[in-house]
Amino acid sequence: MLGRLLGAITGDAGQVRPEELGPRFQEALLPDEAVIVAFRTVRDGFALTDWRLLVMDRQGLTGSKAEILSIPYKSIRRFAVEVGGTAELEEELKVWDHGGEPVTLTFRRGGGAAMAAQAVLAQRLRGG
């Protein structure tokens, strides 16, 4: 119970089935595009597919408006995992494309999701 409450406050992201990201996310996928792994936060979600990173950013108080950001792997220049210290409650995966600012994906510390996401990302960028 406490873990769920902390997750709601800190932006807990955990691995989920792709369909749990909702119909808008499903509409963004190409007919033959395969989702390798998907993660959900309290309001947002993202997935690593066979050729891109898809990030859903729900906006507004109700979250009814959403932006879906698509970053093809060929555009990714670098990425980093920031793991928290003893007092930190979250970890981050940062992804840079041709633009200057990174896309930052936040995870609850200790769940293993940040490292799982970066492992898939590394594998896809390596060509695997």
Side-chain angles (χ1 to χ4, degrees):
M1 180 68 157
L2 181 58
R4 286 187 182 153
L5 179 59
L6 284 174
I9 294 169
T10 63
D12 179 19
Q15 193 168 339
V16 296
R17 294 188 324 269
E19 53 273 8
E20 291 182 51
L21 295 179
R24 286 194 178 148
F25 177 81
Q26 298 301 317
E27 291 170 4
L29 295 172
L30 296 174
D32 60 343
E33 187 172 10
V35 175
I36 298 167
V37 65
F39 297 90
R40 183 178 57 199
T41 63
V42 174
R43 289 173 47 117
D44 304 328
F46 67 96
L48 297 160
T49 75
D50 53 352
W51 73 276
R52 64 181 167 163
L53 166 65
L54 275 174
V55 181
M56 178 182 286
D57 178 15
R58 291 199 169 107
Q59 302 169 354
L61 290 175
T62 63
S64 59
K65 181 178 176 183
E67 174 184 60
I68 299 177
L69 175 66
S70 175
I71 305 173
Y73 293 131
K74 67 181 181 180
S75 297
I76 295 175
R77 296 293 167 235
R78 62 186 171 126
F79 62 94
V81 176
E82 184 177 299
V83 294
T86 306
E88 299 294 321
L89 296 176
E90 53 190 39
E91 300 173 343
E92 295 178 337
L93 172 62
K94 296 179 181 181
V95 178
W96 286 264
D97 62 2
H98 292 291
E101 294 298 314
V103 172
T104 302
L105 307 164
T106 303
F107 302 85
R108 184 178 50 145
R109 183 174 158 248
M115 293 306 286
Q118 78 80 34
V120 173
L121 186 56
Q123 182 179 36
R124 298 310 301 178
L125 291 174
R126 184 176 147 197

